[in-house]
Amino acid sequence: MKNKIEIRHVTKKFKEYRALDDVSLIFEEGKIHGIVGRNGSGKTVLFKCICGFLKLDEGEILVDGKRIGKEIEAPRDVGVIIESPGFLPGYSGFQNLNFLAGIRNKISREDIMEAIRFVGLDPKSRKHVGKYSMGMRQRLGLAQAIMEDPSLLILDEPMNGLDHQGVSDIRKLLLDLKEQGKTILLASHSREDIAVLCDTVTEMDHGKIMAEIKNTGIGDDNCEEKRTDGQ
């Protein structure tokens, strides 16, 4: 299996605080990779470094064999949800995504509408995003992430604000995207999300990798766990 992302001895500091501390990981393509850990464990910082949003202090990150921040500024074929999706509140969901799609002008109006339908929203709705529920905004964020058909998705807590049915719907969507060959990095506080969805799980704490679990889920007797915290 080809490696989609290679993280090699990465350290990211904010003054004296090490948000990432000598992190090394490999994520194979075509799988869903879960990242778990408490708030402040380093999950979001890691995602921002992979996306090229933050400059590394040490180490390197390769996506599709290209070094981020050196050979390329950011991954060229990625859809991202990091923190709360930001949209213009006075415009509809379709209008918001149409504005964003115009930056690269790669996709058609029908492509945008299909992405909105895929996440269970109505692309023809005139309802302003400012009147959306949190769950609807999360769905629209996922539509934004997938609308240009990227091979890599980086999703930080994409289930936030969703009710039980919404969580079930998004899980199905993510598994469908995996079947299409997408590589997905998923941070979630829900052990059930991770167990149901992920092929591998990486546990982080205080910027370090504490354990790597293959062929999940969590608590499954068939999984293979490698701890890196001395236990």
Side-chain angles (χ1 to χ4, degrees):
M1 185 71 71
K2 178 183 174 184
N3 293 335
K4 185 71 175 179
I5 300 171
E6 298 180 42
I7 300 166
R8 300 173 177 171
H9 300 290
V10 163
T11 294
K12 175 61 186 174
K13 294 184 287 187
F14 296 98
K15 295 185 178 178
E16 297 305 312
Y17 174 67
R18 289 178 175 252
L20 297 175
D21 189 358
D22 193 24
V23 171
S24 293
L25 289 166
I26 290 176
F27 297 118
E28 294 180 345
E29 70 175 3
K31 295 183 177 181
I32 301 179
H33 302 280
I35 312 291
V36 298
R38 71 186 82 182
N39 289 338
S41 63
K43 306 186 302 294
T44 299
V45 173
L46 178 64
F47 282 2
K48 288 182 176 180
C49 289
I50 294 170
C51 292
F53 299 159
L54 295 173
K55 184 177 179 181
L56 306 181
D57 291 300
E58 297 174 22
E60 61 183 9
I61 296 175
L62 287 78
V63 179
D64 291 322
K66 301 289 187 181
R67 289 179 295 170
I68 302 301
K70 296 181 180 179
E71 294 172 280
I72 54 175
E73 289 302 310
R76 294 171 181 162
D77 191 23
V78 62
V80 179
I81 296 177
I82 294 182
E83 297 168 338
S84 297
F87 297 109
L88 299 172
Y91 293 86
S92 71
F94 174 82
Q95 288 172 321
N96 268 273
L97 297 200
N98 196 39
F99 294 150
L100 293 166
I103 296 171
R104 295 202 288 182
N105 203 28
K106 288 177 58 178
I107 57 175
S108 68
R109 289 172 63 90
E110 182 52 43
D111 292 328
I112 300 168
M113 294 175 77
E114 181 58 32
I116 295 173
R117 290 189 200 100
F118 187 76
V119 300
L121 297 176
D122 179 4
K124 295 182 179 180
S125 172
R126 296 184 180 183
K127 184 175 184 176
H128 290 174
V129 170
K131 296 183 178 179
Y132 276 21
S133 67
M134 187 175 177
M136 291 175 71
R137 291 174 67 91
Q138 287 296 108
R139 288 175 184 264
L140 190 64
L142 184 56
Q144 176 192 336
I146 67 174
M147 67 182 180
E148 294 183 345
D149 195 29
S151 63
L152 172 63
L153 290 167
I154 296 179
L155 309 177
D156 190 4
E157 301 289 347
M159 313 295 191
N160 274 358
L162 297 177
D163 59 18
H164 179 77
Q165 185 59 52
V167 168
S168 179
D169 290 346
I170 298 303
R171 285 177 182 168
K172 182 179 184 304
L173 295 179
L174 295 180
L175 291 171
D176 288 345
L177 290 166
K178 175 189 168 182
E179 287 299 309
Q180 296 173 22
K182 312 294 187 190
T183 306
I184 301 172
L185 269 58
L186 172 69
S188 177
H189 283 97
S190 167
R191 293 174 66 86
E192 186 177 353
D193 286 342
I194 296 294
V196 167
L197 293 169
C198 297
D199 299 289
T200 74
V201 182
T202 299
E203 179 188 343
M204 296 186 68
D205 193 30
H206 291 96
K208 292 180 176 288
I209 304 303
M210 307 306 291
E212 296 175 60
I213 304 167
K214 308 291 185 182
N215 299 324
T216 202
I218 293 178
D220 186 341
D221 291 339
N222 295 320
C223 67
E224 172 189 340
E225 180 175 1
K226 181 177 101 177
R227 299 199 67 86
T228 56
D229 56 358
Q231 295 184 23

